[in-house]
Each structure stands twice: as C-alpha cells, then as structure tokens.
Amino acid sequence: MAKQPADHAAPPPATAAAATATAEAKAPEAAAGSKRWTSKLKIGGIIAAVMIAECLVVYLVLPRSAATPAASADSEQAADEADHKEAAGHAKADASTSAKGHGKKGEEKSTGSIKSASTSEEIDLGEFSVTSYQPASNTTLFISFHLFGTFLHKHSDDLQHRIDDNKHRIRDNIIVIIRSAEITDLTDAGLGLIKRRILETTNKTLGKPLLQAVVFSDFSLVEQ
C-alpha cells in the first residue's frame, strides 16, 4: 500500500525564520501606534479640562457681575427708604416739639395772665403838706408825706377811672383825717389808725373797695 504525502507538513526552517522576523517588525509599529493614541487622549483630556475650567469661571464670575448692579440698586433703594424714614421721623419730632412749645407758651401766657391779675400794684395818691393846730398843747404841727395805695392788677382800669372822677374828694378827705388826728396817732411808728381811716374813707368815696392798703412815704412831722 502506497504512502500519501502529508497535507500539513512542517514549514521549512527558512519560512519559520521569515515569519518570526515579520512578527518582530510589526510589534514596534503596534507599540508606536498605541503610544500615539495615548498621547492624543491625554491632549484631549487637557483641552477638555481647560474648557471646563473656563466655563466654570464664566459661570461663577458673570452671575456675580450681573448681580452686583442689582445689589447696588437694592442698597441705594434701602438707603433712600432709610433717609425718607429718618426725614419723616425728624419732621414728626419737630412737629411734636413745635406743638409742645406752643402749648408751653400758651400755658406761660395763661399763667402770666393769672399772676398779673392777682399781683398787687401801687397807685400814686399824691403828695401832701398839712398844718394841724393842737389846742391842748397850743402847738402847730407841720406834716408832709407822699401817699400810695395798693390794689390788684385786675382792678387797674376801674380804679384809675374812679380816682380820676373823685380825686378832689379823696384828697380833701385825707387832709381832714390828718388834721383831726391826735398827736399820739401821728407819732405812732406804723401810723396804723391813720392808715385804716384813710383806707376806709377812700374806698367809700370810690364806691367800691378797690384799694387794699395805703402806704406812707417820706413822712415828716415837725412840731412848733
């Protein structure tokens, strides 16, 4: 029986060496290609990172820049409102102070009117020089004085009118009282009795008790 040649015979040694050389030649090319892709990926990553960083900066900066005018506007508006409130407060305070001041002035005027109405004033009843003969001692008295009357301010107009209408009667009555007075009454330090008689007689002449008291000034008594 004849032997058939084997289909898969081992390659000759030269062919195996050539295949090995070809594989070794392709290996550096594959490594170089892999390195090129790795470099491209790195560059792309760097570019992407830079772009992302720029986007973040733009996102963070622009909103703040846009918000700044709005914040400034809000601050100005708040400042204006504060100024308006402060001005309104000052206006109210001034109005209140003004009202208090007017009220106080009104009270002072009212109080002044009450005080002036109840204040005692003086009116000049004239200067007198009276000669009085004293039969008991056979002497003559020379008496001189200035007489005033006190009254309330609220009676000023009425008193002045009544004195003008009765000034001669008032003066004559005072002279009569001094001439008829006893020497002991004229030498009294307070002239109490003579004052009471002049006050009573003068108010009767006036028709109304407008005088409160009478006051002697520069009283002088000389006996001869």
Side-chain angles (χ1 to χ4, degrees):
M1 198 171 168
K3 293 182 181 179
Q4 295 180 355
D7 294 333
H8 299 285
T15 304
T20 301
T22 302
E24 290 178 355
K26 289 181 178 181
E29 292 179 0
S34 177
K35 288 182 179 180
R36 286 196 296 269
W37 280 106
T38 302
S39 299
K40 289 181 179 181
L41 289 175
K42 288 182 179 180
I43 294 172
I46 294 171
I47 294 173
V50 171
M51 292 179 65
I52 291 171
E54 291 179 353
C55 291
L56 288 174
V57 171
V58 172
Y59 175 77
L60 294 175
V61 173
L62 286 180
R64 292 182 180 178
S65 300
T68 301
S72 299
D74 292 340
S75 299
E76 292 178 357
Q77 184 177 0
D80 292 338
E81 291 178 356
D83 292 338
H84 286 304
K85 288 181 180 179
E86 185 177 359
H90 285 305
K92 288 182 180 179
D94 293 339
S96 177
T97 303
S98 178
K100 289 181 180 179
H102 287 302
K104 187 175 181 181
K105 288 181 180 179
E107 291 177 0
E108 289 178 353
K109 288 181 179 179
S110 176
T111 304
S113 299
I114 294 173
K115 288 182 179 179
S116 62
S118 61
T119 300
S120 293
E121 297 184 2
E122 290 186 353
I123 187 169
D124 191 347
L125 297 177
E127 294 182 357
F128 296 83
S129 294
V130 181
T131 302
S132 175
Y133 176 70
Q134 301 292 314
S137 59
N138 193 25
T139 59
T140 300
L141 302 178
F142 296 94
I143 308 160
S144 63
F145 57 90
H146 198 166
L147 190 65
F148 296 88
T150 62
F151 64 96
L152 296 178
H153 176 75
K154 61 182 180 181
H155 298 148
S156 178
D157 295 337
D158 189 16
L159 177 62
Q160 188 62 56
H161 177 70
R162 292 172 184 266
I163 287 179
D164 290 340
D165 290 343
N166 300 280
K167 59 184 178 180
H168 296 296
R169 290 181 59 194
I170 293 171
R171 186 175 181 85
D172 290 341
N173 289 335
I174 293 171
I175 292 173
V176 170
I177 291 171
I178 296 298
R179 281 178 177 172
S180 62
E182 298 290 338
I183 185 65
T184 55
D185 297 332
L186 293 172
T187 55
D188 178 33
L191 301 172
L193 179 60
I194 295 176
K195 287 180 178 180
R196 288 194 295 272
R197 291 181 63 187
I198 291 175
L199 179 63
E200 181 181 356
T201 302
T202 303
N203 278 331
K204 285 182 179 179
T205 303
L206 294 173
K208 195 173 182 180
L210 299 176
L211 288 179
Q212 292 182 308
V214 292
V215 180
F216 283 92
S217 176
D218 301 328
F219 185 85
S220 175
L221 174 61
V222 178
E223 183 179 1
Q224 289 184 351

